Amino acid sequence: MRDRMTLAQLAGAGTICLAMALAGCAASVDHPSPAADLPPTVTANAAGVDSDRAQIKKPVLHTGDVWIDRIQGSDREFRIEGINDGTMDVSFWGTEMTTDDALNVIVYRSLTQSSSEPTKSDKPGIWFAFPLYSGKTWEDKYNWELLGAAPAKGKGEDRGSVLGWEDVTVPAGTFHALKVVVLSRYYGAGGYNDDSTLTFWYAAEVNRFVKFDYRDTYDGALFAELVSYKPSAQSK
């Protein structure tokens, strides 16, 4: 989805914050419920599925899959541009990223600034911790590096949790979706410290979130709602 210790770097501070919520796990630990309590493997593709027991598996995504989202009154395109050896080139509403095959970001550029240096993580983070199911939690610890004219390095920590199923209405319609929250903390040299909260609602039938709400001290806020989903011919 990064050194703000000087005024010169403060203006570019937002370039890395969302990346930490979306990417960068050097080490990750998943803490699901005990095996005996795991929900059965049920694909949640409709509101009629027993939401207390259903889980969402990792989707199969393809080059050319497109989602249109409404951001601050403007409809913008989220597109998978290409897939190569387990990584994907993805346009996040016009901002070019590199992700793994589940949209977990590896190379991030700011979503809220018109130009920004890339931030690269040593490993994709667990934003979409598939399979997703109500009650699941996870923790990540990772390293990030801001590239470009003013390079910087630091560490981050994420705590993710799946709160449960909700019916959520967006311009594309009403979806039975899993609500997920990721709380992140980022720190580095010179006492740098930042926090963010990412909340999204994931619906299996569109292979992605239908609603996205991100708030960060430095990077600001971004709110998106699904308008339409256009899978590529390979996805059909």
Side-chain angles (χ1 to χ4, degrees):
M1 153 210 220
R2 191 165 195 263
D3 182 355
R4 301 192 179 92
M5 284 0 99
T6 68
L7 291 176
Q9 293 166 324
L10 183 59
T15 60
I16 59 176
C17 298
L18 181 55
M20 300 309 100
L22 307 182
C25 302
S28 62
V29 180
D30 183 18
H31 298 290
S33 305
D37 297 328
L38 283 177
T41 303
V42 178
T43 301
N45 284 322
V49 174
D50 182 350
S51 62
D52 290 335
R53 304 176 60 210
Q55 63 176 247
I56 298 177
K57 297 180 179 181
K58 185 173 84 169
V60 178
L61 303 174
H62 299 94
T63 300
D65 289 349
V66 178
W67 299 259
I68 306 296
D69 298 290
R70 188 156 296 160
I71 302 173
Q72 296 180 334
S74 176
D75 291 354
R76 297 165 63 182
E77 188 175 85
F78 185 111
R79 173 188 291 272
I80 298 177
E81 304 284 6
I83 300 177
N84 300 286
D85 298 325
T87 65
M88 303 193 300
D89 296 324
V90 182
S91 174
F92 280 66
W93 308 302
T95 299
E96 301 305 315
M97 312 277 196
T98 301
T99 77
D100 68 5
D101 61 0
L103 291 176
N104 296 306
V105 177
I106 301 168
V107 178
Y108 168 79
R109 291 176 175 81
S110 175
L111 293 172
T112 60
Q113 299 186 28
S114 58
S115 62
S116 65
E117 301 288 2
T119 299
K120 184 176 182 179
S121 62
D122 54 355
K123 194 176 181 181
I126 301 179
W127 185 33
F128 300 109
F130 295 107
L132 295 172
Y133 55 83
S134 183
K136 183 172 184 175
T137 64
W138 64 93
E139 298 178 4
D140 305 327
K141 291 186 178 180
Y142 48 85
N143 301 308
W144 52 263
E145 181 178 5
L146 175 63
L147 308 176
K153 296 181 180 181
K155 296 181 180 293
E157 298 175 355
D158 295 334
R159 294 178 182 272
S161 59
V162 183
L163 301 187
W165 291 89
E166 293 185 359
D167 290 328
V168 56
T169 299
V170 296
T174 298
F175 296 86
H176 200 53
L178 275 175
K179 182 179 181 180
V180 180
V181 175
V182 180
L183 304 177
S184 300
R185 175 176 175 257
Y186 323 117
Y187 51 94
Y192 169 71
N193 189 28
D194 182 28
D195 296 281
S196 71
T197 301
L198 170 66
T199 306
F200 63 86
W201 288 256
Y202 194 101
E205 59 264 48
V206 300
N207 287 333
R208 204 205 58 167
F209 54 82
V210 295
K211 190 175 181 181
F212 173 100
D213 188 350
Y214 178 77
R215 308 194 181 225
D216 180 86
T217 302
Y218 292 100
D219 210 25
L222 191 146
F223 182 76
E225 293 183 314
L226 182 69
V227 174
S228 65
Y229 169 49
K230 302 174 183 177
S232 70
Q234 300 176 70
S235 299
K236 298 176 181 179

